[in-house]
Amino acid sequence: MRQWHERLGHRAHPRLIEEERRVQVFVRDNNVDQALKALKRKMQREGIFREMRLRKHYEKPSETRVREKAEAIRRARKLARKKLQREGLLPMKPRTIPGTGPARSGPARARRRF
Protein backbone atom coordinates (compact mmCIF):
# COMPACT_ATOMS: atom_id res chain seq x y z
CA MET A 1 0.00 0.00 0.00
CA ARG A 2 1.33 3.41 -0.95
CA GLN A 3 1.85 6.07 1.66
CA TRP A 4 -0.20 9.27 1.60
CA HIS A 5 2.74 11.36 0.41
CA GLU A 6 3.33 8.99 -2.52
CA ARG A 7 -0.31 9.13 -3.59
CA LEU A 8 -0.19 12.93 -3.67
CA GLY A 9 3.05 12.92 -5.64
CA HIS A 10 5.07 14.47 -2.81
CA ARG A 11 8.54 13.44 -1.85
CA ALA A 12 8.79 11.77 1.52
CA HIS A 13 9.63 13.87 4.55
CA PRO A 14 13.01 12.84 6.04
CA ARG A 15 11.32 11.77 9.28
CA LEU A 16 9.06 9.40 7.31
CA ILE A 17 12.08 7.88 5.59
CA GLU A 18 13.75 7.29 8.96
CA GLU A 19 10.65 5.50 10.24
CA GLU A 20 10.57 3.21 7.21
CA ARG A 21 14.25 2.29 7.57
CA ARG A 22 14.20 1.31 11.24
CA VAL A 23 16.37 -1.73 11.96
CA GLN A 24 15.58 -3.88 14.97
CA VAL A 25 17.60 -6.68 16.54
CA PHE A 26 16.67 -8.73 19.59
CA VAL A 27 19.26 -9.76 22.18
CA ARG A 28 18.76 -13.39 23.19
CA ASP A 29 20.31 -14.93 26.32
CA ASN A 30 22.29 -11.73 27.03
CA ASN A 31 24.43 -12.49 23.96
CA VAL A 32 25.28 -8.94 22.93
CA ASP A 33 28.10 -10.00 20.57
CA GLN A 34 25.72 -12.10 18.48
CA ALA A 35 23.13 -9.28 18.44
CA LEU A 36 25.78 -6.78 17.36
CA LYS A 37 26.90 -9.08 14.57
CA ALA A 38 23.28 -9.44 13.40
CA LEU A 39 22.80 -5.66 13.56
CA LYS A 40 25.89 -5.02 11.44
CA ARG A 41 24.73 -7.62 8.92
CA LYS A 42 21.27 -5.99 8.67
CA MET A 43 22.76 -2.50 8.36
CA GLN A 44 25.08 -3.73 5.60
CA ARG A 45 22.17 -5.32 3.75
CA GLU A 46 20.06 -2.14 4.08
CA GLY A 47 22.89 0.02 2.77
CA ILE A 48 23.08 2.18 5.88
CA PHE A 49 26.89 2.13 6.07
CA ARG A 50 27.13 3.22 2.45
CA GLU A 51 24.64 6.04 2.99
CA MET A 52 26.51 7.23 6.10
CA ARG A 53 29.74 7.34 4.10
CA LEU A 54 28.03 9.33 1.31
CA ARG A 55 26.43 11.78 3.74
CA LYS A 56 29.68 12.47 5.56
CA HIS A 57 30.36 15.31 3.09
CA TYR A 58 28.08 17.28 0.81
CA GLU A 59 27.92 15.95 -2.72
CA LYS A 60 26.96 18.29 -5.50
CA PRO A 61 24.12 17.12 -7.75
CA SER A 62 26.52 16.94 -10.71
CA GLU A 63 28.85 14.70 -8.69
CA THR A 64 25.89 12.52 -7.71
CA ARG A 65 24.91 12.08 -11.36
CA VAL A 66 28.48 11.18 -12.35
CA ARG A 67 28.81 8.67 -9.48
CA GLU A 68 25.43 7.03 -10.15
CA LYS A 69 26.16 6.78 -13.87
CA ALA A 70 29.54 5.14 -13.15
CA GLU A 71 27.83 2.70 -10.74
CA ALA A 72 25.24 1.82 -13.40
CA ILE A 73 27.97 1.19 -15.98
CA ARG A 74 29.87 -0.99 -13.48
CA ARG A 75 26.71 -3.00 -12.73
CA ALA A 76 25.94 -3.46 -16.44
CA ARG A 77 29.49 -4.64 -17.17
CA LYS A 78 29.39 -7.08 -14.27
CA LEU A 79 26.03 -8.45 -15.44
CA ALA A 80 27.33 -8.85 -19.02
CA ARG A 81 30.50 -10.55 -17.77
CA LYS A 82 28.50 -13.00 -15.65
CA LYS A 83 26.19 -13.73 -18.60
CA LEU A 84 29.15 -14.47 -20.89
CA GLN A 85 30.66 -16.71 -18.21
CA ARG A 86 27.41 -18.68 -17.90
CA GLU A 87 27.29 -19.10 -21.68
CA GLY A 88 30.86 -20.38 -21.68
CA LEU A 89 32.34 -17.54 -23.73
CA LEU A 90 34.52 -16.36 -20.85
CA PRO A 91 36.40 -18.57 -18.40
CA MET A 92 34.86 -18.86 -14.95
CA LYS A 93 36.79 -17.71 -11.92
CA PRO A 94 38.58 -20.65 -10.32
CA ARG A 95 36.80 -21.58 -7.11
CA THR A 96 39.06 -21.85 -4.10
CA ILE A 97 38.16 -24.18 -1.29
CA PRO A 98 38.80 -22.54 2.09
CA GLY A 99 41.65 -24.07 4.04
CA THR A 100 43.37 -25.62 1.02
CA GLY A 101 45.30 -22.55 -0.10
CA PRO A 102 48.99 -21.94 0.48
CA ALA A 103 49.86 -21.97 4.17
CA ARG A 104 51.18 -18.73 5.58
CA SER A 105 54.04 -19.35 7.92
CA GLY A 106 55.08 -15.74 8.23
CA PRO A 107 55.12 -12.37 6.49
CA ALA A 108 55.60 -12.50 2.74
CA ARG A 109 58.19 -9.75 2.83
CA ALA A 110 60.77 -8.64 5.36
CA ARG A 111 59.64 -6.10 7.92
CA ARG A 112 61.17 -2.67 7.85
CA ARG A 113 62.38 -1.07 11.04
CA PHE A 114 62.68 2.67 11.23
Side-chain angles (χ1 to χ4, degrees):
M1 186 169 154
R2 291 173 57 181
Q3 299 287 333
W4 63 269
H5 59 273
E6 292 173 343
R7 286 194 299 258
L8 296 175
H10 295 287
R11 295 181 73 189
H13 190 273
R15 198 175 317 129
L16 291 174
I17 293 173
E18 288 175 15
E19 289 176 11
E20 292 173 9
R21 298 187 68 155
R22 199 163 281 159
V23 178
Q24 191 175 36
V25 175
F26 296 104
V27 180
R28 286 183 240 144
D29 301 326
N30 286 335
N31 195 345
V32 178
D33 292 332
Q34 183 182 4
L36 191 60
K37 190 175 180 181
L39 175 68
K40 286 182 180 178
R41 195 168 43 242
K42 280 187 177 185
M43 289 175 71
Q44 181 72 34
R45 203 174 305 132
E46 292 284 327
I48 295 174
F49 290 126
R50 185 170 188 268
E51 188 173 336
M52 284 177 8
R53 191 179 69 237
L54 287 173
R55 288 182 182 226
K56 195 179 281 188
H57 302 287
Y58 176 73
E59 187 178 34
K60 290 169 43 180
S62 60
E63 293 172 348
T64 305
R65 281 192 303 270
V66 168
R67 179 182 49 79
E68 288 178 352
K69 187 174 182 180
E71 288 172 359
I73 290 170
R74 207 174 302 120
R75 276 194 310 272
R77 283 183 183 159
K78 183 177 181 180
L79 197 72
R81 185 173 57 244
K82 291 215 176 259
K83 184 180 177 188
L84 289 173
Q85 285 176 346
R86 277 195 306 271
E87 293 173 357
L89 299 173
L90 279 178
M92 297 286 267
K93 266 188 169 178
R95 291 189 180 175
T96 57
I97 302 169
T100 60
R104 293 187 182 188
S105 59
R109 57 180 180 263
R111 290 185 179 165
R112 290 185 186 172
R113 296 192 185 220
F114 296 102

